[in-house]
Amino acid sequence: MISDILNCTLENLVSRAKKEALSATMAGKFIRASRDITRELYTYPYALNPIIKSASNKFLVLAQPRTGSTLLFDLLNSHPKISCEGNARNAEILRKRLAFPLLFINGRTKIHCDKVYGFKLITNHLQIQNIKNEERFIENLYDQGFQIIFLKRTNILKQSLSIMSANSTGVWHIEKWQDQTTLTKKKIQVNCKLLMQYMEALQRQEKQYETILKNLPHLGVTYEKDLLGADKHQQTLNRIFEYLGILSRNVETSLLKIGSESLSDSIQNYEELVETISGTEYAKFLDE
């Protein structure tokens, strides 16, 4: 079985490498594709080795895009006993299609066996991995010993606009050592019809995952209440450390906040946006 898995994996990866190499029009894309494939090839032998033990303490953060998950992972990595994959400098492990997602995750826990291991499960990762039964996939991870942290954002208007802005500008995160001129972005033109579709989709998805987690023990974290203000970071992380059963440590982040809290300062067609949303259930988010 092991040899079949490795042979199948190698064939798939070689085939994928050729396709991605041919489609990569820039050196950066080719390098990223090569790193992803190398990491996948490197990880499976760990997963299949029965002698190597996996991390005894492990967790996942289930979240939608632009809910503060990168900030949370950056803060978590302040702890010397925690190893998180999915912060600004460490690629999310499920962002590219894998041959065997659960096996790959198991391998990552073995590579980081001396730490409290955590990874980011962004909701679109489940589609990328072609997971047919998302509820069972999450239950499998829980059965394997993963503790679950469910991170969400209350203001889905600002969440949707953040997704659209990042897609438009290509700027997803800024660290303190980087060029900060990108923080003063020009106002963006918002496709209001698309914005409504984003909000409706995010709302449906959040309800779906709330249903999945209804019968699974988990810790809830909310961006606005727990992460938006820097003065809340230590308190929030202390709660998470307690949930994970480890001693508290002082935390700090290397990330800077992108964008303005005022929508009128960042949206070029702000009046059109207000007109579109007024009278809908999303109008309440304009005042937050």
Side-chain angles (χ1 to χ4, degrees), residues 15-80:
S15 174
R16 198 176 83 198
K18 291 179 179 178
K19 290 179 181 178
E20 294 189 10
L22 288 173
S23 63
T25 57
M26 296 173 62
K29 290 183 179 181
F30 176 76
I31 291 171
R32 284 194 296 273
S34 300
R35 285 175 179 170
D36 289 338
I37 292 167
T38 300
R39 180 168 65 171
E40 191 171 356
L41 279 172
Y42 176 78
T43 299
Y44 287 128
Y46 280 87
L48 296 168
N49 190 331
I51 298 175
I52 303 175
K53 302 297 182 184
S54 65
S56 58
N57 194 349
K58 49 200 174 187
F59 67 96
L60 66 90
V61 173
L62 177 64
Q64 292 177 322
R66 309 306 283 175
T67 53
S69 60
T70 301
L71 168 61
L72 178 58
F73 268 45
D74 198 50
L75 292 166
L76 283 165
N77 271 328
S78 296
H79 199 296

Side-chain angles (χ1 to χ4, degrees), residues 147-249:
Q147 298 183 80
I148 301 172
I149 298 171
F150 184 36
L151 173 61
K152 59 183 180 179
R153 187 169 181 171
T154 303
N155 193 320
I156 58 175
L157 168 60
K158 288 187 177 180
Q159 180 184 354
S160 300
L161 289 170
S162 180
I163 294 171
M164 297 175 76
S165 176
N167 282 331
S168 172
T169 63
V171 179
W172 292 85
H173 309 289
I174 292 289
E175 294 191 79
K176 293 174 182 177
W177 56 270
Q178 291 178 303
D179 179 8
Q180 297 176 23
T181 56
T182 50
L183 290 173
T184 56
K185 302 191 301 291
K186 295 180 180 179
K187 291 185 177 183
I188 64 167
Q189 180 79 17
V190 173
N191 181 326
C192 292
K193 182 179 179 180
L194 182 61
L195 173 64
M196 291 295 294
Q197 293 173 354
Y198 265 107
M199 290 191 290
E200 290 166 0
L202 289 172
Q203 190 174 48
R204 285 195 304 270
Q205 192 179 65
E206 183 177 303
K207 289 179 179 178
Q208 174 190 350
Y209 288 106
E210 285 176 346
T211 300
I212 289 175
L213 295 178
K214 187 176 181 180
N215 297 315
L216 289 177
H218 64 278
L219 178 68
V221 177
T222 303
Y223 172 74
E224 288 85 354
K225 179 170 68 74
D226 300 317
L227 292 173
L228 180 57
D231 59 324
K232 299 291 186 183
H233 291 174
Q234 190 64 54
Q235 180 183 348
T236 299
L237 270 292
N238 287 345
R239 185 160 61 97
I240 294 174
F241 294 149
E242 182 179 1
Y243 177 68
L244 297 176
I246 59 177
L247 294 176
S248 177
R249 291 289 188 276

